[in-house]
Amino acid sequence: MQTPRRRTRRGTSVPGAVVGAHDLTAVSGARVAVPDGDRLTHLQFRRFAGCPICNLHLQSVVRRHAEIAQAGIREIVVFHSPAEELREYVTDLPFAVIADPTKRLYAEFGVESSPRALLSPRAWAPTARAVLRSTWTILRGRERPPSRRPHGGRLGLPADFLIAPDGRILAAKYGEHAYDQWPVDHLLELATRTPLPAGPRPEGAS
């Protein structure tokens, strides 16, 4: 079984590596296979349960999830919070959410934590937007506030991986700050470069 080899420089050695078979369990209890043998997998690593910055980005994914599925992509999101904490925040999300409180997957894929997650000036504007949005939705009773001391800390960096059905990593991004990830448009553009194998199309795809 092969796993993504450690990069010698951020993101440069990961594409082309092969992801070994993973049988994961989503917080919903559903079994999740990575890679998915029938479609592309977008595996994204986020931060902690209720993270306002994560929520701001994931809402854009939720709004366009039908387009993502139509492009033949399965969306899987990993948090470093325990499943019992995540269930309070992610039950309405239309994609699989994986709890990784020991950060086993983070270590395997080389996803790091760093003070620059929040200290980078490029993170300040999206962080302010995220906090304002989160405060408003919490006051309206639509979200729960995050823990004051989140499991795994507040300094996690995001990462994105696009994985082919055969396990090859087609593209990867290691975030330089807490809101540095692929926009949905970029994810869809990446998917157009990788035709799905012949056979049944994923549910929702044409």
Side-chain angles (χ1 to χ4, degrees), residues 13-87:
S13 67
V14 169
V18 176
V19 176
H22 291 67
D23 184 13
L24 307 176
T25 302
V27 297
S28 65
R31 304 298 287 268
V32 180
V34 176
D36 186 310
D38 296 321
R39 49 188 163 171
L40 302 171
T41 298
H42 176 211
L43 183 66
Q44 59 169 301
F45 289 82
R46 305 306 312 180
R47 289 153 38 89
F48 53 88
C51 165
I53 299 171
C54 303
N55 290 344
L56 180 64
H57 171 63
L58 290 180
Q59 285 306 307
S60 70
V61 178
V62 169
R63 287 192 297 271
R64 302 184 65 183
H65 187 251
E67 292 178 65
I68 294 171
Q70 187 75 16
I73 304 168
R74 183 174 193 182
E75 192 71 43
I76 300 174
V77 182
V78 183
F79 286 87
H80 56 65
S81 295
E84 57 270 22
E85 289 185 19
L86 280 170
R87 289 190 189 99

Side-chain angles (χ1 to χ4, degrees), residues 3 17 29 31 54 64 70 95 112 121 126 131 148 167 177 188 202 204:
T3 55
R31 304 298 287 268
C54 303
R64 302 184 65 183
Q70 187 75 16
F95 40 76
E112 303 170 343
V131 170
R148 294 183 179 180
H177 57 79
L188 295 176

Side-chain angles (χ1 to χ4, degrees), residues 50-202:
C51 165
I53 299 171
C54 303
N55 290 344
L56 180 64
H57 171 63
L58 290 180
Q59 285 306 307
S60 70
V61 178
V62 169
R63 287 192 297 271
R64 302 184 65 183
H65 187 251
E67 292 178 65
I68 294 171
Q70 187 75 16
I73 304 168
R74 183 174 193 182
E75 192 71 43
I76 300 174
V77 182
V78 183
F79 286 87
H80 56 65
S81 295
E84 57 270 22
E85 289 185 19
L86 280 170
R87 289 190 189 99
E88 301 179 11
Y89 298 92
V90 302
T91 54
D92 295 332
L93 296 181
F95 40 76
V97 175
I98 307 296
D100 186 22
T102 64
K103 294 190 175 181
R104 178 181 63 84
L105 289 171
Y106 287 79
E108 178 180 331
F109 282 83
V111 183
E112 303 170 343
S113 297
S114 171
R116 70 176 180 274
L118 298 177
L119 296 180
S120 170
R122 291 176 293 171
W124 296 347
T127 297
R129 291 199 310 272
V131 170
L132 286 172
R133 175 198 168 277
S134 182
T135 300
W136 175 243
T137 54
I138 289 169
L139 290 174
R140 298 180 69 186
R142 295 185 177 181
E143 285 185 10
R144 294 174 58 87
S147 169
R148 294 183 179 180
R149 301 181 67 180
H151 187 94
R154 297 179 178 274
L155 300 181
L157 291 164
D160 294 89
F161 300 88
L162 187 65
I163 304 171
D166 63 5
R168 287 176 299 114
I169 295 181
L170 303 172
K173 177 178 178 61
Y174 289 94
E176 295 291 344
H177 57 79
Y179 198 71
D180 185 20
Q181 67 272 309
W182 287 338
V184 173
D185 281 339
H186 185 67
L187 173 64
L188 295 176
E189 179 184 349
L190 289 172
T192 63
R193 304 174 190 170
T194 309
L196 284 171
R201 299 286 289 179

